Amino acid sequence: MPKIGVSDLHYAPITSDGKEGTVYDTPKPIPHLSKIKIDPKTNSKTYYADNVAAATYSAMGEVDVEAEVGDVPIDTLAELLGSEVDAGVMYCKNTDQGPYVAVGFKAIDSDENTEFVWLYKGRFSIPAEDLKTLEDTPDFQPTTIKGQFISRESDGLWRAVANSGATGYVEATGTNWFKTVHEKPVTP
């Protein structure tokens, strides 16, 4: 069903991502999410043989993410961009490089099901600012943060999606979604 709302944006810095697995810090909220756009890039190629299309293959590239929020707290923005904060002032160098992070959020559809999402690995870039003066009619000027996400090195996963209306959905999944970055259960 079509989505009718989105909320609860969270991020979790990656402390390591290698063949042995991916480790995340505890998720932290980014308040006041008003919209998010996820745009996966895929490239397809068709192989022709004997004058017909014989095979096709698609490869996934990066995933562009754009989130509009009321504002990003300075400590959060500094962490996402790899900048320094001292006494409430953020100092930005041209060499700053933010950590890889996971990003999670939830959406509600018109059947009142909740969809939970984690994007597993990406980095954010410096947000553009477009501000204007206060006029007789207030005009909200939210912050848009943009990032590029990729697959994890450890297992190739790039996203996890749960839906409360899906067959086999377990309520604890949604209850715990933002306590840690959701991982695929390991089967012995």
Side-chain angles (χ1 to χ4, degrees), residues 48-54:
Y48 290 87
D50 294 328
N51 299 319
V52 297

Side-chain angles (χ1 to χ4, degrees), residues 11-17 21-28 100-104 118-122 149-155 157-160 179-184:
Y11 74 100
I14 295 176
T15 58
S16 66
D17 179 33
T22 306
V23 180
Y24 296 93
D25 276 344
T26 303
K28 303 172 191 175
Y100 282 109
V101 297
V103 169
W118 273 110
L119 302 173
Y120 282 129
K121 184 178 181 179
F149 283 69
I150 56 177
S151 300
R152 297 191 302 196
E153 185 179 328
S154 62
D155 55 13
L157 289 173
W158 70 276
R159 174 174 73 167
K179 291 179 182 175
T180 61
V181 175
H182 183 81
E183 293 286 354
K184 184 177 179 181

Side-chain angles (χ1 to χ4, degrees), residues 85-135:
V85 175
D86 184 24
V89 179
M90 182 171 71
Y91 298 95
C92 305
K93 295 181 193 173
N94 61 353
T95 56
D96 288 348
Q97 190 70 245
Y100 282 109
V101 297
V103 169
F105 62 93
K106 71 179 182 181
I108 299 170
D109 69 24
S110 59
D111 280 346
E112 297 183 13
N113 292 316
T114 303
E115 185 170 276
F116 300 92
V117 177
W118 273 110
L119 302 173
Y120 282 129
K121 184 178 181 179
R123 278 194 170 128
F124 283 95
S125 56
I126 300 167
E129 295 182 88
D130 186 12
L131 308 173
K132 66 182 202 173
T133 193
L134 180 63
E135 299 173 352

Side-chain angles (χ1 to χ4, degrees), residues 32 34-35 68-71 129-144:
H32 308 296
S34 58
K35 71 172 144 176
E68 187 177 287
V69 295
D71 192 22
E129 295 182 88
D130 186 12
L131 308 173
K132 66 182 202 173
T133 193
L134 180 63
E135 299 173 352
D136 59 348
T137 302
D139 187 12
F140 294 107
Q141 299 158 55
T143 299
T144 300

